[in-house]
């Protein structure tokens, strides 16, 4: 299949991906028509509140959804040289899919204590990935792992190779996790909330480490987070998710400086800053996030949105593209991408 | 690791002593005087005879002195004598122990191997054929008491179809192990089924538990084939709780399986206990109870060692101080 030049720039594309989970014999529609483009060599952040489908998106890409979840429709394409592979068409635990996991797509998980096997030495857990994808002897693998440990700032790597996960601090464990994800030098690394469980100072160290790993090897990173401060520091591109949909996607400047979607705007206004006037109450988004079982076909943010109209609730909302591939899922924007001036416009339409 | 073992053994000694004291003093609380069965009813009627006997056997010493004498004798290898038969208890044990070892060891090996195998496969393929089979087997094994299973097996295989002997360890005139083998089949089967049920459930649930742990997802994210994920990540981590259950069955090796031995007239320690209790043969009861208690202590010691090998976090207790 010949690829368009635009596709060549992307390493990964999601097109209208739908994921549902079976819970107590009823089906929950968790991801709705999620489309994303991940430019090669970029740092993409997926942000959104808990339960919006960020992690599910990551798991769907590598086909590691929990047993009760499945991709119902859509395309997840991985581009390499001029070859496209549709990942979700591959057998879940088949040889071909496994040749992507670890080797081409590395995964970093949030809770490092539970994500590392407590019964195995950390060195072995990292070498395991290397031995799976490369024809190396155990000694060669060990050498490579120790070298990477040193590069990632794990002190005394020769000795630490034989330590168990519980003998490490949270930050050091996350470095081990990063080693597991990057030991085979994958082109794409997906990090699912890698710093959430860490102290703020350690968070900064780990983020710097990730950013350097991305820059030095021209690797592509997808970072899943709900920490807006992190996003502004590391991201090139940002995708904002709300209740299983991507509501806004664009470069970091587009999304953070000129947010278009009412949800993104509300989200950014609710981030506290040091120089804010403390007498003014921090803005919150009114209302509750609806349960994924309750969503109708219209805009899922409509109930909490200051600009919502009846059409918002009844119509399928298309993703609108503005200047510079800034994509927003909102019909209340004019052709320049601005929201109407008046609030609560529901009555005058 | 060595410090861990030493500490663990050091805890065992006072516990064993405490248990021995409880066993000794509890036996003295019994209203039945075992001395009555020791002498003929005529002699018992004469109070002076009884008093002489009591004095000679040390029953008039302060109770603590009696306890320490008993303990010291046990440490010297003298377990005392059976009131019923007058035989040295060590002789009784030497006679009955092999039968119990034979029965329990065979059942332990068979049930452990089978249930680990079935449990692991059932857990790895939840809802599959093995899983369903294991559920039925476990339900039967857990809900039906072992003596009933024994009786049912006896009824079918010994009475209706005269395939196997009805009990005892050996028939008259038989000498070799091959001769004894048919005798072993039904009791071992009964004991195995009872042990199997719980262990299969336990193994299966432990595997299911481990499969959903985050580190299994990490293992899969490395691109490992499923068999490798199962073998080196799921199974090894599921074995911890299972090992505990297995180890706590080891005391059966000394204590015997009381009900199964009774049903099959198996001349093991379990049957010895039943016999001793029916005639209030206190010295035998006390020694066997003590043996079982020490075996349980030893098993729990073994559990800690095995667990610390399987899960290095257990060893932490030894280093933090």
């Amino acid at each position: 299949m010949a690829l368009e030049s635009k596709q060549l720039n992307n390493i990964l594309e999601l097109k209208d991906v739908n994921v549902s989970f079976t819970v107590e014999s009823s089906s929950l529609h968790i991801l709705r028509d999620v489309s994303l483009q991940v430019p090669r060599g970029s740092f993409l952040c997926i942000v959104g509140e808990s339960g919006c489908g960020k992690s599910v998106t990551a798991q769907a890409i590598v086909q590691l959804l929990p047993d009760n979840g499945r991709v119902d429709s859509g395309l997840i394409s991985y581009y390499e040289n001029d070859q496209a592979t549709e990942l979700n068409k591959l057998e879940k635990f088949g040889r071909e899919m496994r040749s992507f996991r670890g080797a081409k797509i590395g995964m970093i998980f949030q809770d490092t204590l539970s994500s590392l096997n407590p019964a195995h030495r950390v060195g072995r857990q990292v070498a395991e990935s290397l031995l799976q994808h490369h024809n190396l002897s155990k000694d060669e693998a060990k050498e490579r792992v120790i070298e990477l440990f040193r590069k990632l700032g794990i002190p005394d790597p020769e000795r630490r190779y034989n330590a168990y996960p519980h003998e490490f601090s949270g930050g050091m464990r996350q470095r081990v996790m990063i080693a597991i994800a990057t030991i085979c030098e994958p082109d794409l690394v997906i990090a699912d909330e890698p710093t959430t469980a860490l102290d703020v100072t350690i968070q900064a160290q780990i983020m710097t480490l990730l950013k350097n790993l991305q820059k030095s090897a021209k690797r592509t990173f997808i970072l899943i987070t709900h920490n807006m401060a992190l996003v502004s520091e590391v991201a090139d591109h940002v995708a904002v998710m709300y209740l299983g949909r991507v509501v806004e996607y664009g470069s970091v400047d587009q999304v953070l400086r000129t947010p278009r979607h009412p949800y993104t705007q509300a989200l950014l206004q609710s981030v506290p800053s040091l120089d804010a006037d403390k007498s003014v109450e921090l803005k919150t988004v009114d209302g509750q996030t609806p349960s994924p079982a309750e969503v109708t076909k219209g805009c899922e943010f409509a109930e909490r949105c200051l600009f919502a109209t009846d059409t918002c609730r009844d119509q399928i909302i298309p993703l609108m593209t503005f200047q510079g591939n800034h994509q927003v899922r909102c019909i209340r924007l004019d052709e320049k991408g601005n929201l109407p001036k008046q609030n609560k416009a529901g009555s005058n339409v | 690791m060595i410090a861990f073992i030493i500490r663990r053994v050091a805890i065992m000694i006072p516990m064993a002593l405490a248990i021995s004291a409880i066993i000794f003093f509890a036996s003295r609380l019994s209203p039945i005087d075992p001395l009555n069965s020791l002498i003929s009813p005529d002699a018992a009627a004469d109070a002076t005879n009884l008093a002489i006997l009591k004095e000679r056997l040390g029953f008039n010493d302060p109770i603590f002195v009696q306890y320490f004498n008993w303990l010291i004798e046990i440490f010297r290898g003298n377990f005392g004598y059976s009131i019923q038969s007058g035989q040295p208890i060590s002789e009784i044990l030497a006679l009955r122990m092999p039968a119990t070892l034979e029965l329990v060891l065979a059942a332990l090996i068979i049930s452990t191997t089978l249930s680990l195998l079935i449990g692991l496969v059932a857990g790895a393929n939840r809802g599959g054929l093995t899983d369903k089979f294991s559920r039925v087997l476990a339900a039967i094994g857990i809900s039906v008491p072992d003596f009933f299973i024994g009786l049912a097996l006896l009824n079918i295989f010994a009475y209706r179809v005269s395939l196997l002997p009805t009990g005892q360890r050996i028939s008259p005139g038989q000498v070799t192990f091959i001769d004894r083998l048919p005798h072993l089949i039904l009791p071992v089967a009964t004991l195995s089924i009872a042990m199997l049920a719980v262990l299969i459930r336990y193994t299966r649930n432990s595997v299911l538990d481990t499969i959903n742990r985050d580190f299994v997802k990490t293992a899969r994210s490395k691109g490992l084939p499923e068999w490798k994920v199962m073998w080196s990540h799921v199974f090894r981590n599921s074995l911890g709780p299972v090992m505990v259950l297995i180890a706590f069955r080891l005391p059966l090796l000394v204590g015997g399986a009381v009900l199964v031995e009774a049903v099959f007239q198996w001349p093991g320690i379990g049957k010895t206990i039943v016999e001793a209790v029916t005639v209030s043969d206190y010295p035998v009861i006390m020694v066997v109870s003590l043996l079982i208690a020490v075996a349980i202590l030893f098993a729990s010691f073994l559990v800690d060692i095995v667990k610390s090998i399987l899960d290095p976090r257990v060893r932490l207790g030894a280093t933090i101080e």
Side-chain angles (χ1 to χ4, degrees), chain A residues 59 64 67 93 98 101-103 105 107 109 111 114-120 124-126 128-129 132-133 164 166 177 180, chain B residues 211-226 228 232-234 236-237 309-316:
Chain A
Q59 290 165 8
L64 285 179
D67 282 344
F93 295 127
R98 288 196 285 105
R101 287 191 207 118
I105 306 176
M107 295 289 286
F109 297 103
D111 186 349
S114 65
S115 295
L116 293 171
N117 190 330
H120 292 324
R124 178 188 160 177
Q125 298 191 50
V126 182
E128 200 171 36
S129 184
Q132 178 64 33
H133 299 289
Y164 289 97
H166 69 268
M177 199 70 221
I180 289 177
Chain B
I211 275 183
N212 291 321
R213 301 273 294 278
D214 286 344
F215 62 78
V216 175
K217 196 163 66 184
T218 309
R220 284 176 173 153
S221 81
K222 296 175 195 169
L224 301 180
E226 270 304 277
K228 223 175 194 165
S232 75
H233 291 275
V234 176
R236 177 164 175 182
N237 287 277
I309 291 169
L310 284 173
D311 186 348
R313 283 171 300 178
V314 174
R315 262 173 263 162
L316 264 184

Side-chain angles (χ1 to χ4, degrees), chain B residues 5 16 21 25 73 102 169-170 183 261:
Chain B
I5 293 175
F25 293 113
E73 286 303 309
E102 187 176 283
R169 196 175 170 208
I170 197 158
H183 289 265
E261 287 186 16

Side-chain angles (χ1 to χ4, degrees), chain A residues 132-323:
Chain A
Q132 178 64 33
H133 299 289
H134 295 279
N135 205 0
L136 291 174
S137 76
K138 280 200 167 147
D139 286 341
E140 286 168 321
K142 181 173 178 177
E143 222 167 275
R144 294 264 293 269
V145 173
I146 289 174
E147 195 185 311
L148 182 59
F149 274 5
R150 187 171 292 127
K151 218 176 98 189
L152 291 175
I154 296 174
D156 201 359
E158 285 88 358
R159 205 171 56 81
R160 297 306 255 166
Y161 183 92
N162 285 322
Y164 289 97
H166 69 268
E167 297 170 332
F168 282 73
S169 66
M172 283 302 146
R173 267 201 302 274
Q174 194 52 276
R175 285 168 208 256
V176 172
M177 199 70 221
I178 294 171
I180 289 177
T182 56
I183 185 78
C184 293
E185 317 214 316
D187 292 328
L188 175 65
V189 176
I190 304 175
D192 189 352
E193 309 233 12
T195 58
T196 307
L198 302 175
D199 288 344
V200 182
T201 48
I202 312 290
Q203 275 186 16
Q205 289 175 11
I206 296 290
M207 282 323 299
T208 314
L209 196 61
L210 289 179
K211 188 69 188 173
N212 288 341
L213 277 174
Q214 181 242 343
K215 271 193 184 152
S216 63
K218 296 213 167 23
R219 233 174 241 137
T220 315
F221 262 72
I222 299 178
L223 173 73
I224 290 162
T225 182
H226 57 246
N227 186 338
M228 292 306 247
L230 272 186
V231 176
S232 63
E233 277 168 38
V234 295
D236 304 324
H237 291 78
V238 182
V240 181
M241 289 186 74
Y242 183 75
L243 215 63
R245 282 193 203 271
V246 176
V247 293
E248 184 155 1
Y249 170 86
S251 71
V252 65
D253 278 346
Q254 287 168 337
V255 177
L256 293 192
R257 285 185 204 282
T258 54
R260 303 285 189 202
H261 196 281
Y263 175 67
T264 316
Q265 294 182 354
L267 197 65
L268 287 172
Q269 276 165 8
S270 68
V271 177
S273 70
L274 277 178
D275 44 328
D277 181 357
K278 289 190 183 59
S279 61
V280 180
E281 213 176 305
L282 198 61
K283 275 211 170 179
T284 54
V285 187
D286 285 335
Q288 295 285 317
T289 309
S291 139
E294 291 165 10
V295 230
T296 48
K297 72 173 182 181
C299 176
E300 40 287 306
F301 190 61
E303 294 311 319
R304 305 169 74 185
C305 181
L306 298 173
F307 305 94
T309 63
D310 289 341
T311 14
C312 290
R313 297 185 182 92
D314 305 334
Q315 203 188 352
I316 294 175
I317 316 287
L319 205 56
M320 323 261 248
T321 307
F322 297 95
Q323 205 192 350

